[in-house]
């Protein structure tokens, strides 16, 4: 008799500049961790994001803030592979290195619907689906106009239930509706630059770090 293969719990991957990390990121990660019964969510700071201006704060500082924010968090971990790797931080390289480390584990690359729409501009984006599942997060009721190429992509790869993702390490897209907190790093940087108080938008420990190092003034 063959024993049924137990699916491994998936690992969620949340990349970002985290300049700085805030409660919008943390709530998103925790909601997905609990709702989809993930093994963990990895927050992966982008050292040198290829498709945006270089962040105003060094990668080491941004990493330090993600470490502080996840210190006591259940299920959320920081992953510094993009800093260790050096060069431009291409997501395809990150997925490849995670896949080498975890050959059989389902990997869920977490992307907002807006980011999903921009995928054709990402380096080697068509390989993502061979390395991971895509977990596309949409705000309830928010329907974005779908560019043709991504509509076709969704028609090809979308599944309706997380169960369909558990028995394969990669290859499908799942859309999840998550109510987003309307917080952005841009808003926090703007508040600080204007002498306003960003309290309650981000963890206290991160705010203390920002003040100690005189960031975003
Ligand atoms: P910035 O304002 O500098 O563009 P940001 O706040 O959008 O930054 P990023 O580091 O670019 O933060 O975001 C990383 C990931 O977290 C992205 O996938 C983004 O869609 C998601 N995200 C950012 N803010 C929120 C939020 N308030 N709720 C849910 N997801 C968020």
């Amino acid at each position: 008799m063959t024993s049924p293969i137990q699916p491994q719990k998936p690992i969620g991957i949340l990349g970002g500049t985290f300049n700085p990390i805030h409660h919008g990121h943390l709530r998103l990660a925790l909601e997905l961790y609990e709702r989809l019964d993930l093994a963990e969510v990895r927050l992966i700071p982008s050292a040198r994001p290829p498709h945006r201006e270089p962040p105003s704060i060094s990668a080491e500082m941004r990493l330090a803030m993600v470490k502080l924010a996840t210190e006591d968090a259940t299920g959320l971990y920081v992953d510094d592979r993009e800093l260790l790797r050096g060069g431009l931080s291409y997501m395809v390289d990150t997925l490849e290195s995670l896949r080498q480390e975890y050959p059989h584990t389902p990997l869920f690359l977490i992307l907002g619907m807006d980011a999903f729409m921009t995928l054709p501009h990402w380096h080697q984006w068509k390989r993502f689906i061979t390395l991971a599942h895509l977990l596309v997060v949409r705000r309830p009721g928010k329907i974005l106009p779908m560019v043709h190429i991504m509509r076709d992509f969704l028609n090809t790869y979308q599944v309706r239930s997380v169960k369909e993702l558990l028995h394969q390490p990669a290859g499908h897209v799942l859309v999840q509706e998550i109510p987003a907190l309307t917080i952005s790093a841009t808003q926090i940087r703007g508040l600080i630059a204007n002498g306003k108080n960003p309290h309650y938008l981000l963890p206290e420990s991160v705010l203390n770090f920002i003040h100690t190092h005189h960031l975003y003034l």
Side-chain angles (χ1 to χ4, degrees), residues 183-201:
I183 301 174
S184 72
T186 305
Q187 172 198 12
I188 293 170
R189 295 194 301 272
L191 287 171
I192 297 171
N194 288 303
K196 301 278 196 283
N197 193 343
H199 220 97
Y200 311 128
L201 298 176

Side-chain angles (χ1 to χ4, degrees), residues 37-53:
D37 193 25
L38 304 179
E40 61 185 55
V41 176
R42 299 269 179 113
L43 289 89
I44 308 189
S46 176
R48 285 181 58 200
H51 46 261
R52 60 189 287 175
E53 290 287 299

Side-chain angles (χ1 to χ4, degrees), residues 92 95 119-132 134 149-150 153 157 171:
V92 70
L95 293 178
L119 273 188
H121 301 289
W122 295 36
H123 185 57
Q124 297 191 7
W125 73 280
K126 288 195 173 161
R127 294 189 50 220
F128 293 10
I129 199 78
T130 67
L131 295 162
L134 307 189
I149 185 168
M150 294 325 284
F153 186 82
Y157 296 108

Side-chain angles (χ1 to χ4, degrees), residues 13-29 44-46 52 55 62 110-115 122 137 139 178-189:
I13 301 157
L14 180 60
T17 43
F18 302 117
N19 185 28
I21 187 164
H22 53 69
H23 282 139
H25 300 127
L26 294 164
R27 271 310 306 170
L28 171 70
I44 308 189
S46 176
R52 60 189 287 175
R62 292 181 287 109
I110 301 165
L111 292 168
M113 188 53 99
D114 334 33
W122 295 36
V137 179
R139 294 178 189 206
I178 302 261
L181 298 177
T182 47
I183 301 174
S184 72
T186 305
Q187 172 198 12
I188 293 170
R189 295 194 301 272

